[in-house]
Amino acid sequence: MEDEDYNASLAIYDEEDFSSTVILEEVSPLLEARVARIFLVAVYSTICFLGIVGNGLVIVITIFKMKKTVNTVWFLNLAVADFLFNVFLPLHIAYTALDYHWVFGTAMCKISSFLLIHNMYTSVFLLTVISFDRCISVLLPVWSQNHRGVRLAYATCVVIWVSAFFLSSPSLVFRDTANQHGKISCFNNFSLSGANPSLRLAHGQLDPVGYTWHTVVTVTRFLCGFLVPVLVITACYLTIVCKLRRNRLAKTKKPFKIIVTIIVTFFLCWCPYHTLYLLELHHAAVPGSVFSLGLPLATAIAIANSCMNPILYVFMGQDFKKFKVTLFSRLVNALSEDTGHSSYPSHRSFTKMSSLNERCSTNERETSML
């Protein structure tokens, strides 16, 4: 009986889906389901708009307006990963708005899910490399100055993107579509046994091989996309803090402020997602309402991370409190001030330009008064 309940749950709790039609219909009345869909559409639309505009600005700035440094390479790749995901987010907005009826075909079902997981892996691997890079810069400053270059950063990013591709590839294999009750669902088909997917989705059939694949994919994503990176990042920053305090090198906290905030934000966004999908493997011990309410919310929080970095750059820049400084200048300021011990020609020029403009405006007002 427990196996039957588990198999049925797999038809309900669809991994990487941004919500579940079956959940909403069984747990909530029709009106509440409609309100939930409207809420999710609004959230996804806001994330999509902010993600495309914000990450697009970061991409333009880092490519055309800033000197190429190791850190700008990191920021550029973070923005590209988030931008690609947000470009495909309208597919999920339409899926939710159409009452979870997937009209874009099986190929796009696979690709859209793949991009979500690929974005997760690319972001967390980049954050891990950034932390390790900063740790090496503090522990071995001479070696780092001689060997730390833009070419090595680009090569590292290539390795990150390729690794993220292979770790995200299960979505290209297991994602499937099936017609159920007149609606096409985009779901995980871990049972690659050749049976009719719509029958398996309707009856919750899952063979032992399917359960094994489900477990392997979920645990791998938790370990490689969350636990191991957070341990490495924590170790790196603890080492940095101890080294700086011991040698009294920490003149200011600003070089680490933005990147630490980005890392904390990433893990806060993805922690509920990984937690719920781990709990799903042992769903019998957890009330069904946890999944019915938690999975759509956890996934929405996870994808919100794709638009957060540009917002953090702006709000945490040195010139945020100077409201006359443009948004463009704030982004350059934030991206530049986080580059450690390097020189910041772009940052300084924009800061000087802002100060000069303010002084000129003051002089003009004084002259007009006279």
Side-chain angles (χ1 to χ4, degrees):
M1 184 66 180
E2 182 176 338
D3 292 338
E4 293 177 358
D5 292 339
Y6 172 75
N7 292 336
S9 72
L10 292 177
I12 296 176
Y13 306 126
D14 184 16
E15 194 172 9
E16 286 107 55
D17 254 337
F18 292 134
S19 51
S20 173
T21 307
V22 180
I23 291 174
L24 292 173
E25 291 178 351
E26 290 185 356
V27 176
S28 304
L30 182 60
L31 179 60
E32 293 183 7
R34 187 177 303 172
V35 171
R37 289 199 306 273
I38 294 173
F39 172 76
L40 289 175
V41 168
V43 170
Y44 297 151
S45 300
T46 303
I47 293 172
C48 181
F49 174 78
L50 293 177
I52 290 177
V53 174
N55 289 296
L57 278 174
V58 173
I59 292 171
V60 171
I61 289 171
T62 52
I63 291 178
F64 299 107
K65 299 296 182 180
M66 295 185 67
K67 179 182 177 182
K68 294 296 181 293
T69 65
V70 173
N71 288 280
T72 56
V73 172
W74 303 143
F75 287 126
L76 173 62
N77 279 266
L78 274 174
V80 169
D82 291 336
F83 184 83
L84 285 176
F85 173 71
N86 280 280
V87 166
F88 283 84
L89 190 55
L91 298 180
H92 301 286
I93 297 174
Y95 184 45
T96 306
L98 293 173
D99 197 13
Y100 312 108
H101 175 52
W102 186 264
V103 297
F104 305 105
T106 303
M108 292 308 300
C109 171
K110 294 175 180 289
I111 292 173
S112 59
S113 175
F114 166 83
L115 286 174
L116 171 65
I117 304 303
H118 188 273
N119 173 260
M120 177 195 72
Y121 278 123
T122 305
S123 298
V124 74
F125 289 165
L126 282 168
L127 294 176
T128 305
V129 168
I130 291 172
S131 303
F132 184 76
D133 174 52
R134 293 179 180 280
C135 186
I136 294 298
S137 297
V138 172
L139 294 179
L140 304 171
V142 177
W143 184 93
S144 177
Q145 186 175 3
N146 293 332
H147 296 85
R148 183 175 179 265
V150 174
R151 288 186 178 181
L152 180 60
Y154 276 117
T156 303
C157 289
V158 170
V159 174
I160 288 174
W161 282 80
V162 173
S163 301
F165 175 87
F166 283 108
L167 287 170
S168 307
S169 59
S171 294
L172 300 176
V173 177
F174 296 114
R175 292 297 278 185
D176 203 353
T177 57
N179 194 322
Q180 185 187 20
H181 305 305
K183 295 180 182 179
I184 299 176
S185 299
C186 176
F187 70 106
N188 272 315
N189 180 14
F190 289 107
S191 298
L192 299 176
S193 58
N196 190 332
S198 61
L199 293 178
R200 284 196 301 272
L201 182 63
H203 300 289
Q205 296 175 359
L206 188 71
D207 55 28
V209 176
Y211 175 75
T212 301
W213 276 117
H214 185 198
T215 303
V216 168
V217 170
T218 302
V219 173
T220 300
R221 287 175 183 170
F222 173 70
L223 292 177
C224 297
F226 191 80
L227 183 60
V228 173
V230 75
L231 292 177
V232 173
I233 290 172
T234 302
C236 288
Y237 276 96
L238 286 177
T239 303
I240 291 172
V241 170
C242 292
K243 180 69 174 180
L244 294 179
R245 286 185 176 180
R246 186 183 306 132
N247 297 339
R248 297 181 179 179
L249 297 176
K251 297 180 181 179
T252 177
K253 296 180 180 180
K254 289 179 180 178
F256 302 105
K257 180 178 61 174
I258 291 179
I259 190 60
V260 170
T261 305
I262 292 172
I263 292 170
V264 171
T265 302
F266 176 88
F267 287 108
L268 288 178
C269 287
W270 282 96
C271 183
Y273 177 91
H274 289 290
T275 301
L276 284 173
Y277 282 111
L278 284 175
L279 289 176
E280 186 190 3
L281 296 176
H282 306 283
H283 72 285
V286 182
S289 59
V290 173
F291 298 108
S292 63
L293 299 175
L295 286 180
L297 180 60
T299 309
I301 295 173
I303 67 170
N305 183 251
S306 64
C307 73
M308 292 300 296
N309 291 350
I311 298 174
L312 295 176
Y313 298 151
V314 172
F315 276 79
M316 299 191 67
Q318 289 180 349
D319 289 333
F320 175 69
K321 293 182 179 179
K322 300 177 182 178
F323 293 102
K324 291 186 179 181
V325 179
T326 65
L327 174 65
F328 184 83
S329 176
R330 292 178 193 172
L331 281 171
V332 174
N333 219 345
L335 293 172
S336 298
E337 73 179 14
D338 199 48
T339 54
H341 304 292
S342 305
S343 60
Y344 316 128
S346 298
H347 165 239
R348 289 174 178 173
S349 62
F350 270 86
T351 303
K352 289 179 179 179
M353 186 182 301
S354 301
S355 300
L356 180 61
N357 290 337
E358 290 180 1
R359 287 198 298 270
C360 290
S361 299
T362 302
N363 292 336
E364 289 176 359
R365 287 195 299 267
E366 292 177 351
T367 303
S368 63
M369 291 176 65
L370 293 174

